Amino acid sequence: MATSVFNRRWAAVLLEALTRHGVRHVCIAPGSRSTPLTLAAAANAQFICHTHFDERGLGHLALGLAKASGEPVAVIVTSGTAVANLYPAMIEAGLTGERLVLLTADRPPELIDCGANQAIRQQGIFASHARQTLDLPRPTPDIPARWLVSAIDSAMAGLDYGALHVNCPFAEPLYGDDEGGDDPWSQALGDWWQSGAPWLRETPRNTVPVMKQPDWFLWRQKRGVVVAGRMTAEEGVRVARWAQELGWPLLGDVLSQTGQPLSCADLWLARDDARDTLAQAQIVVQFGNSLTGKRLLQWQAACAPQEYWLIDPLDGRRDPAHHAGRRLVARVADWLETHPAQPRAGWAPELTELAARTRQCTQTYLASRFGEAQAAQRLPVLLPDNGQLFVGNSLIVRLIDAFAQLPAGYPVYSNRGASGIDGLISTLAGVQRATAKPTLAIVGDLSALYDLNALALLRHVSAPTVLIVVNNNGGAIFSMLPTPAAERERFYLMPQNVEFRHAAAMFSLGYACPQSWDELEQSVAQAWGRTGTTLIELQVPPAEGAETLQTLLKKVNTL
């Protein structure tokens, strides 16, 4: 059998094995060495294939698909620096729990370290950031197909989260027609082709049952505080109900999807009386990690209850403050099922009243101030029915966390693992494609510039999509930090003096640049009424958002 033909057969078996583990989406970048993988994916009717010309954006597209679907997503790239461009997305997946399968084409061993074109050392390239690695040999009929499928099955069984890196060397020729005919090598798998099941059924390594805490019936009668970090929409609703039944205050992050019953916590947590009240808690139970608010993080680091429990499905400590207590690896919903609440009256009603006063103060102050802060505070008004929200990083996510109260159970997505600004628009595109829901996204101007070519991905959306770009002319978050004044603008803020009208036109997207809240609301409403993507640019004063946050912190402290 010709080398080009056998390369295709090998790749076809590999890709088919992935379908047995729930892989439906495959993200593909152009390249020659990856041809066997690309053509095998295209020929498999079980796959939905996505393409992008930028491997860094492609990795984030896969990340968004995995984030919103909850399924593993495969990525196919060619050899060389194309592989290295997947690094940011796979790092993020390792921190936030998505599953990626990175299929990287490679030169065969005889072309490595000898000056061959586009040949780099790809084995082990992702070091400790890859959850699983599998270095395949050069395709050869001497290795039985059952070895290949069982190797994939074993690696996928160990992929509880993060990335599996499968390095796939292919020798030339890469091109040639597969004229069919007998294929004893792949036919040796027999009924496997029709079964739909893995060849090797290996027990997943993340199937540890939830261990009920034997003293929970005692702790649930004490004064507790619930901290809600990143979790799913369904989990957020359940955690909020659970905390309410217990009568425990709930401090909900912007990504908690709990409805943040004690809203604007990042403002009122700066008050001494609020911290004094919370200090009476005997136990703190945290669900999820990746907290956003600065004051919440400061309180979390300083609190010293008798017990601190952290429940999250990902392993590792996940607590940068290193509290004494219990680190419980479990899915939030499973843990709640095993640890029911005992209905009790709330023990800190003054926090409910303080949160309400803070929210009213914030609304009053921002009522006539159009800009980044007002948009963050009123963001819930713009959300589409039966839709979802994607939030960028840097200043905007902090303003939303501090000023807004998002609806309970409304899906919110972001890249708050490594908290980078790379690949945000690409991730948004993946989230939208995975769910086919109307989607509102909001990012900063530098974030948008960093991933500008991902606007090409937003030309292909299955429901109305709105991307709000807050253009405060640079990295305004650095104005909140004690950066040296003389170097701040050149080395930190980096104003670019651009507008995004031309970017929208370049990629044939709708565009609006509202100058008031009424215009913004009208622009968003019109966008929900048409197909495709609308880019809405908010041109705001550079320091407005950061200065508003500081002003409201002072106002709330004197309520």
Side-chain angles (χ1 to χ4, degrees):
M1 186 182 296
T3 298
S4 61
V5 174
F6 189 77
N7 284 342
R8 287 275 301 276
R9 302 282 174 87
W10 178 277
V13 169
L14 192 165
L15 270 296
E16 178 63 28
L18 290 178
T19 67
R20 314 302 172 90
H21 297 275
V23 176
R24 292 189 305 125
H25 295 278
V26 181
C27 298
I28 304 172
S32 180
R33 190 62 56 165
S34 53
T35 291
L37 293 167
T38 297
L39 296 182
N44 193 316
Q46 298 180 74
F47 289 130
I48 303 169
C49 293
H50 309 264
T51 60
H52 192 34
F53 48 80
D54 173 6
E55 286 87 2
R56 187 186 67 190
L58 186 81
H60 283 92
L61 175 68
L63 179 72
L65 287 161
K67 193 181 291 287
S69 70
E71 301 168 348
V73 174
V75 180
I76 294 173
V77 299
T78 193
S79 63
T81 56
V83 179
N85 274 300
L86 299 177
Y87 227 136
M90 66 95 64
I91 288 174
E92 182 71 17
L95 294 171
T96 54
E98 293 78 27
R99 290 174 293 165
L100 301 180
V101 182
L102 308 181
L103 305 175
T104 61
D106 198 0
R107 260 58 178 174
E110 66 269 20
L111 295 182
I112 306 300
D113 288 330
C114 62
N117 184 51
Q118 207 169 315
I120 66 173
R121 292 186 293 276
Q122 292 179 196
Q123 292 188 359
I125 190 172
F126 297 124
S128 62
H129 293 286
R131 190 73 172 171
Q132 298 281 325
T133 59
L134 177 58
D135 293 314
L136 296 179
R138 180 211 311 251
T140 170
D142 296 333
I143 298 175
R146 61 180 179 272
W147 176 87
L148 180 58
V149 292
S150 61
I152 295 294
D153 290 340
S154 181
M156 289 300 293
L159 188 65
D160 46 356
Y161 67 90
L164 163 62
H165 175 211
V166 184
N167 199 53
C168 310
F170 292 107
E172 295 183 355
L174 301 169
Y175 302 94
D177 293 334
D178 186 350
E179 299 177 355
D182 291 337
D183 177 17
W185 182 80
S186 58
Q187 289 173 1
L189 294 172
D191 294 341
W192 175 82
W193 288 100
Q194 290 78 38
S195 71
W199 178 270
L200 178 66
R201 296 175 179 85
E202 188 172 314
T203 302
R205 295 162 214 179
N206 60 342
T207 55
V208 178
V210 176
M211 299 296 293
K212 183 174 182 179
Q213 302 304 298
D215 52 352
W216 169 241
F217 74 100
L218 293 175
W219 284 108
R220 68 184 183 181
Q221 300 176 53
K222 298 182 182 291
R223 294 186 301 276
V225 171
V226 176
V227 177
R230 180 183 59 241
M231 64 187 75
T232 68
E234 180 185 357
E235 290 170 343
V237 171
R238 293 187 63 176
V239 166
R241 187 184 306 123
W242 185 81
Q244 184 179 31
E245 290 178 7
L246 285 166
W248 292 2
L250 188 155
L251 306 177
D253 183 82
V254 62
L255 301 183
S256 70
Q257 298 162 97
T258 58
Q260 301 160 290
L262 298 177
S263 59
C264 303
D266 203 48
L267 296 178
W268 56 259
L269 275 172
R271 293 173 57 105
D272 291 338
D273 57 348
R275 295 195 298 270
D276 289 344
T277 297
L278 290 169
Q280 300 174 42
Q282 296 160 295
I283 180 172
V284 174
V285 179
Q286 178 179 337
F287 296 95
N289 62 96
S290 297
L291 303 177
T292 300
K294 181 178 180 180
R295 265 61 57 181
L296 176 57
L297 283 166
Q298 289 173 339
W299 171 81
Q300 189 260 1
C303 73
Q306 297 172 31
E307 283 279 311
Y308 197 104
W309 296 5
L310 198 159
I311 298 97
D312 190 275
L314 307 184
D315 59 14
R317 285 175 288 174
R318 307 284 165 178
D319 174 16
H322 311 293
H323 289 96
R326 307 180 194 182
R327 173 65 179 93
L328 306 167
V329 179
R331 292 185 177 88
V332 172
D334 295 341
W335 197 90
L336 292 175
E337 193 71 29
T338 312
H339 300 79
Q342 179 180 358
R344 297 175 64 86
W347 66 268
E350 60 268 38
L351 294 181
T352 302
E353 194 271 338
L354 176 58
R357 284 190 290 134
T358 301
R359 181 170 173 78
Q360 183 58 52
C361 172
T362 303
Q363 289 175 335
T364 301
Y365 181 79
L366 293 174
S368 58
R369 290 176 166 84
F370 179 66
E372 185 174 7
Q374 187 191 67
Q377 190 265 321
R378 295 189 181 182
L379 194 67
V381 177
L382 305 177
L383 296 174
D385 294 336
N386 301 311
Q388 58 195 357
L389 172 65
F390 184 88
V391 182
N393 285 326
S394 205
L395 181 59
I396 188 60
V397 69
R398 289 166 171 79
L399 296 181
I400 296 170
D401 185 69
F403 300 155
Q405 185 174 29
L406 299 174
Y410 195 90
V412 183
Y413 300 95
S414 80
N415 287 348
R416 293 293 295 167
S419 299
I421 65 170
D422 43 353
L424 293 180
I425 297 176
S426 300
T427 309
L428 154 67
V431 167
Q432 199 289 317
R433 292 185 185 194
T435 62
K437 288 183 177 182
T439 305
L440 175 68
I442 184 165
V443 302
D445 53 328
L446 291 187
S447 297
L449 288 171
Y450 207 110
D451 201 24
L452 195 66
N453 67 29
L455 293 179
L457 296 171
L458 295 185
R459 291 182 295 193
H460 311 289
V461 293
S462 53
T465 299
V466 173
L467 172 61
I468 298 176
V469 177
V470 180
N471 188 351
N472 52 26
N473 201 22
I477 193 170
F478 291 109
S479 65
M480 299 174 61
L481 303 176
T483 50
E487 291 84 10
R488 182 174 299 155
E489 181 164 315
R490 181 183 177 190
F491 293 106
Y492 293 90
L493 302 179
M494 294 190 181
Q496 298 301 306
N497 301 302
V498 299
E499 66 174 42
F500 288 84
R501 179 189 309 271
H502 307 294
M506 181 179 183
F507 292 99
S508 302
L509 307 182
Y511 176 82
C513 186
Q515 302 300 310
S516 68
W517 171 259
D518 288 341
E519 289 184 15
L520 171 59
E521 197 170 11
Q522 183 180 21
S523 296
V524 173
Q526 290 174 348
W528 298 138
R530 58 174 177 259
T531 59
T533 297
T534 302
L535 190 159
I536 296 179
E537 181 176 5
L538 293 186
Q539 296 177 350
V540 299
E544 178 265 332
E547 290 174 353
T548 299
L549 180 57
Q550 296 303 319
T551 298
L552 282 170
L553 279 168
K554 293 176 182 177
K555 284 184 171 292
V556 170
N557 203 41
T558 59
L559 284 177

